Amino acid sequence: MPQNLKPLTAMRFFAAMWVVAFHFTPSLGLGMPALIAKGYLGVELFFVLSGFILSHVYMQSFGERRFRYPDFLWARLARIYPVHLATLAGLGLVVAAAAIAGVDAGDKVLAWSSLPAHLTLTQAWGLGLAGGWNHPSWSISAEWFAYLTFPVFAFVIWPLRTRPWVAIALAVLLVIGLNIGFQQVAGFPLTRATIAWGALRIVPCFVLGCAVWLLWRSDVIRSPRAAVTGVLGSVAAIAACAFVGAPDWLSVCLFGALILSLGSLASTGSRLLTAPLWVYLGEVSFAVYMVCIPWQLVFEHGARKLLGLSGETLPPLLWAVLFVGVVPAAMVVHHLVERPAREAMRRHGVPFMRRRAALAGRVAEVALARR
């Protein structure tokens, strides 16, 4: 099995809470600090990390022709679909319960015309333009697109394994060129695309993550001190970009440097961000991201109904409960839905698919023998 890169797992929690802060801070009514205003870039950070991790786990087997595409897709579906389906169904139940209780949850949640796209994870491919439901799931649809096309990414990246700096240069050029070109054509940044162009949004980030993995495996960072310096320097540079209003593509490139440094913490033996608490929170981060909007919907409408609050903002103490409370809510989903469903799908689905593949192979052999 590939090395367990615990600092990268821990980083997922901070990325998820960055996105949560971006969504929740307007409810505080005190303005949006520059760093939090860039919280939507937490999705880009996840996309770059996805390219790195999938390369770390599967790229070698692809290059050595041991890659099993059906097994790969099933494992990835097991990773994302149960929580997606649970939040989808949960939102429907919440809106129905709110209507019964006389609470207006809004008329934009249950967008029935986009439900088929949500069920097939194609809502970020321009097929669910009505939006609705659990909006953050658009990025899971983009991830599914990257999973389906992973062999294409691997086919391009693997031949560059002995020239990682070339891969990095090409990936950075793609990030810059696609972001600038999209802005010129569409009139808005690629980093703000969701249901209409989400599948395109992941492409440059995913390629960058794959290229960063090539550089990481070349041991370009060889000491814990250099790795820690890289982490701190990357975080400081990302924060500086937010404060000075630098273009988003620069932050995306810096995410590559951050992930390279975090991965090198593990490969150089550093224990930074390897404590069980941080790793556990990182494991819960997917649920944090997926339940943040349903949790906000339930909490804010419930608080206004029970406490008789008016207006669009929450008192600071109540907002703090909203912000911190997303973590235990996510823990419940993680332990009751995400982990058991993922383990069940991987335990029962892959053997079934392998038996079907073996049966198909035997049928083909019999057919050839009869010729």
Side-chain angles (χ1 to χ4, degrees), residues 202-221:
I202 195 176
V203 170
C205 299
F206 198 86
V207 171
L208 179 61
C210 296
V212 169
W213 175 77
L214 289 182
L215 189 59
W216 170 81
R217 73 193 290 268
S218 70
D219 292 326
V220 67
I221 298 178

PDB file of all heavy atoms in Angstrom, residues 202-221:
ATOM      1  N   ILE A 202     -12.240  21.687 -12.385  1.00  0.00           N
ATOM      2  CA  ILE A 202     -11.347  20.757 -11.696  1.00  0.00           C
ATOM      3  C   ILE A 202     -10.130  20.404 -12.536  1.00  0.00           C
ATOM      4  O   ILE A 202      -9.087  20.012 -11.997  1.00  0.00           O
ATOM      5  CB  ILE A 202     -12.101  19.466 -11.292  1.00  0.00           C
ATOM      6  CG1 ILE A 202     -11.280  18.673 -10.267  1.00  0.00           C
ATOM      7  CG2 ILE A 202     -12.412  18.606 -12.508  1.00  0.00           C
ATOM      8  CD1 ILE A 202     -11.982  17.439  -9.732  1.00  0.00           C
ATOM      9  N   VAL A 203     -10.205  20.547 -13.849  1.00  0.00           N
ATOM     10  CA  VAL A 203      -9.161  20.016 -14.742  1.00  0.00           C
ATOM     11  C   VAL A 203      -7.772  20.584 -14.449  1.00  0.00           C
ATOM     12  O   VAL A 203      -6.821  19.812 -14.234  1.00  0.00           O
ATOM     13  CB  VAL A 203      -9.553  20.226 -16.217  1.00  0.00           C
ATOM     14  CG1 VAL A 203      -8.379  19.903 -17.137  1.00  0.00           C
ATOM     15  CG2 VAL A 203     -10.754  19.351 -16.565  1.00  0.00           C
ATOM     16  N   PRO A 204      -7.565  21.917 -14.443  1.00  0.00           N
ATOM     17  CA  PRO A 204      -6.205  22.415 -14.193  1.00  0.00           C
ATOM     18  C   PRO A 204      -5.699  22.074 -12.797  1.00  0.00           C
ATOM     19  O   PRO A 204      -4.504  21.794 -12.620  1.00  0.00           O
ATOM     20  CB  PRO A 204      -6.333  23.924 -14.392  1.00  0.00           C
ATOM     21  CG  PRO A 204      -7.780  24.222 -14.185  1.00  0.00           C
ATOM     22  CD  PRO A 204      -8.519  23.026 -14.667  1.00  0.00           C
ATOM     23  N   CYS A 205      -6.589  22.085 -11.809  1.00  0.00           N
ATOM     24  CA  CYS A 205      -6.186  21.747 -10.441  1.00  0.00           C
ATOM     25  C   CYS A 205      -5.771  20.284 -10.344  1.00  0.00           C
ATOM     26  O   CYS A 205      -4.762  19.945  -9.704  1.00  0.00           O
ATOM     27  CB  CYS A 205      -7.331  22.026  -9.477  1.00  0.00           C
ATOM     28  SG  CYS A 205      -7.871  23.736  -9.414  1.00  0.00           S
ATOM     29  N   PHE A 206      -6.541  19.408 -10.966  1.00  0.00           N
ATOM     30  CA  PHE A 206      -6.247  17.986 -10.920  1.00  0.00           C
ATOM     31  C   PHE A 206      -4.917  17.687 -11.611  1.00  0.00           C
ATOM     32  O   PHE A 206      -4.100  16.908 -11.101  1.00  0.00           O
ATOM     33  CB  PHE A 206      -7.379  17.206 -11.585  1.00  0.00           C
ATOM     34  CG  PHE A 206      -7.417  15.750 -11.230  1.00  0.00           C
ATOM     35  CD1 PHE A 206      -8.080  15.317 -10.097  1.00  0.00           C
ATOM     36  CD2 PHE A 206      -6.796  14.817 -12.035  1.00  0.00           C
ATOM     37  CE1 PHE A 206      -8.121  13.968  -9.761  1.00  0.00           C
ATOM     38  CE2 PHE A 206      -6.824  13.466 -11.716  1.00  0.00           C
ATOM     39  CZ  PHE A 206      -7.486  13.030 -10.578  1.00  0.00           C
ATOM     40  N   VAL A 207      -4.685  18.309 -12.756  1.00  0.00           N
ATOM     41  CA  VAL A 207      -3.410  18.132 -13.460  1.00  0.00           C
ATOM     42  C   VAL A 207      -2.252  18.618 -12.601  1.00  0.00           C
ATOM     43  O   VAL A 207      -1.200  17.965 -12.506  1.00  0.00           O
ATOM     44  CB  VAL A 207      -3.428  18.884 -14.806  1.00  0.00           C
ATOM     45  CG1 VAL A 207      -2.040  18.899 -15.434  1.00  0.00           C
ATOM     46  CG2 VAL A 207      -4.420  18.233 -15.766  1.00  0.00           C
ATOM     47  N   LEU A 208      -2.423  19.757 -11.930  1.00  0.00           N
ATOM     48  CA  LEU A 208      -1.378  20.270 -11.048  1.00  0.00           C
ATOM     49  C   LEU A 208      -1.096  19.290  -9.921  1.00  0.00           C
ATOM     50  O   LEU A 208       0.070  19.051  -9.573  1.00  0.00           O
ATOM     51  CB  LEU A 208      -1.794  21.632 -10.485  1.00  0.00           C
ATOM     52  CG  LEU A 208      -0.798  22.291  -9.520  1.00  0.00           C
ATOM     53  CD1 LEU A 208       0.539  22.551 -10.217  1.00  0.00           C
ATOM     54  CD2 LEU A 208      -1.370  23.588  -8.951  1.00  0.00           C
ATOM     55  N   GLY A 209      -2.143  18.707  -9.348  1.00  0.00           N
ATOM     56  CA  GLY A 209      -1.943  17.730  -8.278  1.00  0.00           C
ATOM     57  C   GLY A 209      -1.163  16.522  -8.753  1.00  0.00           C
ATOM     58  O   GLY A 209      -0.273  16.020  -8.041  1.00  0.00           O
ATOM     59  N   CYS A 210      -1.468  16.037  -9.951  1.00  0.00           N
ATOM     60  CA  CYS A 210      -0.725  14.902 -10.518  1.00  0.00           C
ATOM     61  C   CYS A 210       0.741  15.261 -10.719  1.00  0.00           C
ATOM     62  O   CYS A 210       1.642  14.464 -10.415  1.00  0.00           O
ATOM     63  CB  CYS A 210      -1.342  14.481 -11.858  1.00  0.00           C
ATOM     64  SG  CYS A 210      -3.031  13.843 -11.756  1.00  0.00           S
ATOM     65  N   ALA A 211       1.011  16.469 -11.233  1.00  0.00           N
ATOM     66  CA  ALA A 211       2.385  16.904 -11.469  1.00  0.00           C
ATOM     67  C   ALA A 211       3.142  17.077 -10.151  1.00  0.00           C
ATOM     68  O   ALA A 211       4.333  16.730 -10.055  1.00  0.00           O
ATOM     69  CB  ALA A 211       2.383  18.208 -12.261  1.00  0.00           C
ATOM     70  N   VAL A 212       2.471  17.605  -9.141  1.00  0.00           N
ATOM     71  CA  VAL A 212       3.104  17.764  -7.827  1.00  0.00           C
ATOM     72  C   VAL A 212       3.491  16.398  -7.257  1.00  0.00           C
ATOM     73  O   VAL A 212       4.547  16.252  -6.622  1.00  0.00           O
ATOM     74  CB  VAL A 212       2.171  18.522  -6.860  1.00  0.00           C
ATOM     75  CG1 VAL A 212       2.687  18.454  -5.431  1.00  0.00           C
ATOM     76  CG2 VAL A 212       2.041  19.976  -7.302  1.00  0.00           C
ATOM     77  N   TRP A 213       2.669  15.383  -7.503  1.00  0.00           N
ATOM     78  CA  TRP A 213       3.024  14.037  -7.032  1.00  0.00           C
ATOM     79  C   TRP A 213       4.314  13.555  -7.688  1.00  0.00           C
ATOM     80  O   TRP A 213       5.169  12.953  -7.033  1.00  0.00           O
ATOM     81  CB  TRP A 213       1.888  13.059  -7.326  1.00  0.00           C
ATOM     82  CG  TRP A 213       2.255  11.653  -6.969  1.00  0.00           C
ATOM     83  CD1 TRP A 213       2.292  11.103  -5.719  1.00  0.00           C
ATOM     84  CD2 TRP A 213       2.651  10.613  -7.881  1.00  0.00           C
ATOM     85  NE1 TRP A 213       2.691   9.786  -5.795  1.00  0.00           N
ATOM     86  CE2 TRP A 213       2.915   9.455  -7.098  1.00  0.00           C
ATOM     87  CE3 TRP A 213       2.802  10.552  -9.260  1.00  0.00           C
ATOM     88  CZ2 TRP A 213       3.320   8.252  -7.678  1.00  0.00           C
ATOM     89  CZ3 TRP A 213       3.206   9.346  -9.838  1.00  0.00           C
ATOM     90  CH2 TRP A 213       3.465   8.222  -9.052  1.00  0.00           C
ATOM     91  N   LEU A 214       4.462  13.805  -8.989  1.00  0.00           N
ATOM     92  CA  LEU A 214       5.710  13.427  -9.663  1.00  0.00           C
ATOM     93  C   LEU A 214       6.908  14.106  -9.007  1.00  0.00           C
ATOM     94  O   LEU A 214       7.960  13.486  -8.814  1.00  0.00           O
ATOM     95  CB  LEU A 214       5.659  13.816 -11.138  1.00  0.00           C
ATOM     96  CG  LEU A 214       4.728  13.028 -12.058  1.00  0.00           C
ATOM     97  CD1 LEU A 214       4.873  13.537 -13.495  1.00  0.00           C
ATOM     98  CD2 LEU A 214       5.002  11.533 -12.007  1.00  0.00           C
ATOM     99  N   LEU A 215       6.759  15.383  -8.662  1.00  0.00           N
ATOM    100  CA  LEU A 215       7.858  16.113  -8.032  1.00  0.00           C
ATOM    101  C   LEU A 215       8.121  15.586  -6.626  1.00  0.00           C
ATOM    102  O   LEU A 215       9.270  15.441  -6.210  1.00  0.00           O
ATOM    103  CB  LEU A 215       7.531  17.600  -7.997  1.00  0.00           C
ATOM    104  CG  LEU A 215       8.664  18.553  -7.573  1.00  0.00           C
ATOM    105  CD1 LEU A 215       9.859  18.410  -8.498  1.00  0.00           C
ATOM    106  CD2 LEU A 215       8.161  19.983  -7.547  1.00  0.00           C
ATOM    107  N   TRP A 216       7.049  15.290  -5.897  1.00  0.00           N
ATOM    108  CA  TRP A 216       7.191  14.773  -4.528  1.00  0.00           C
ATOM    109  C   TRP A 216       7.938  13.442  -4.515  1.00  0.00           C
ATOM    110  O   TRP A 216       8.817  13.227  -3.686  1.00  0.00           O
ATOM    111  CB  TRP A 216       5.805  14.610  -3.899  1.00  0.00           C
ATOM    112  CG  TRP A 216       5.820  13.882  -2.594  1.00  0.00           C
ATOM    113  CD1 TRP A 216       6.127  14.399  -1.367  1.00  0.00           C
ATOM    114  CD2 TRP A 216       5.540  12.494  -2.384  1.00  0.00           C
ATOM    115  NE1 TRP A 216       6.045  13.427  -0.411  1.00  0.00           N
ATOM    116  CE2 TRP A 216       5.692  12.246  -1.004  1.00  0.00           C
ATOM    117  CE3 TRP A 216       5.176  11.444  -3.227  1.00  0.00           C
ATOM    118  CZ2 TRP A 216       5.486  10.990  -0.441  1.00  0.00           C
ATOM    119  CZ3 TRP A 216       4.971  10.192  -2.674  1.00  0.00           C
ATOM    120  CH2 TRP A 216       5.128   9.967  -1.299  1.00  0.00           C
ATOM    121  N   ARG A 217       7.597  12.547  -5.451  1.00  0.00           N
ATOM    122  CA  ARG A 217       8.235  11.234  -5.458  1.00  0.00           C
ATOM    123  C   ARG A 217       9.707  11.303  -5.857  1.00  0.00           C
ATOM    124  O   ARG A 217      10.440  10.331  -5.679  1.00  0.00           O
ATOM    125  CB  ARG A 217       7.466  10.281  -6.390  1.00  0.00           C
ATOM    126  CG  ARG A 217       7.631  10.547  -7.861  1.00  0.00           C
ATOM    127  CD  ARG A 217       6.615   9.773  -8.693  1.00  0.00           C
ATOM    128  NE  ARG A 217       6.866   8.337  -8.699  1.00  0.00           N
ATOM    129  CZ  ARG A 217       7.602   7.706  -9.611  1.00  0.00           C
ATOM    130  NH1 ARG A 217       8.180   8.398 -10.579  1.00  0.00           N
ATOM    131  NH2 ARG A 217       7.748   6.405  -9.572  1.00  0.00           N
ATOM    132  N   SER A 218      10.159  12.429  -6.385  1.00  0.00           N
ATOM    133  CA  SER A 218      11.573  12.601  -6.720  1.00  0.00           C
ATOM    134  C   SER A 218      12.388  13.075  -5.517  1.00  0.00           C
ATOM    135  O   SER A 218      13.592  13.343  -5.659  1.00  0.00           O
ATOM    136  CB  SER A 218      11.724  13.592  -7.874  1.00  0.00           C
ATOM    137  OG  SER A 218      11.403  14.909  -7.460  1.00  0.00           O
ATOM    138  N   ASP A 219      11.724  13.186  -4.336  1.00  0.00           N
ATOM    139  CA  ASP A 219      12.395  13.604  -3.093  1.00  0.00           C
ATOM    140  C   ASP A 219      13.077  14.956  -3.238  1.00  0.00           C
ATOM    141  O   ASP A 219      14.219  15.159  -2.804  1.00  0.00           O
ATOM    142  CB  ASP A 219      13.422  12.553  -2.645  1.00  0.00           C
ATOM    143  CG  ASP A 219      12.771  11.257  -2.184  1.00  0.00           C
ATOM    144  OD1 ASP A 219      11.670  11.329  -1.614  1.00  0.00           O
ATOM    145  OD2 ASP A 219      13.365  10.184  -2.401  1.00  0.00           O
ATOM    146  N   VAL A 220      12.363  15.907  -3.808  1.00  0.00           N
ATOM    147  CA  VAL A 220      12.932  17.237  -3.977  1.00  0.00           C
ATOM    148  C   VAL A 220      13.092  17.935  -2.626  1.00  0.00           C
ATOM    149  O   VAL A 220      13.973  18.788  -2.457  1.00  0.00           O
ATOM    150  CB  VAL A 220      12.042  18.072  -4.935  1.00  0.00           C
ATOM    151  CG1 VAL A 220      10.681  18.359  -4.321  1.00  0.00           C
ATOM    152  CG2 VAL A 220      12.742  19.359  -5.334  1.00  0.00           C
ATOM    153  N   ILE A 221      12.263  17.581  -1.645  1.00  0.00           N
ATOM    154  CA  ILE A 221      12.409  18.086  -0.275  1.00  0.00           C
ATOM    155  C   ILE A 221      12.878  16.919   0.585  1.00  0.00           C
ATOM    156  O   ILE A 221      12.162  15.924   0.717  1.00  0.00           O
ATOM    157  CB  ILE A 221      11.088  18.664   0.255  1.00  0.00           C
ATOM    158  CG1 ILE A 221      10.651  19.861  -0.601  1.00  0.00           C
ATOM    159  CG2 ILE A 221      11.228  19.082   1.719  1.00  0.00           C
ATOM    160  CD1 ILE A 221       9.329  20.480  -0.175  1.00  0.00           C
TER     161      ILE A 221
END
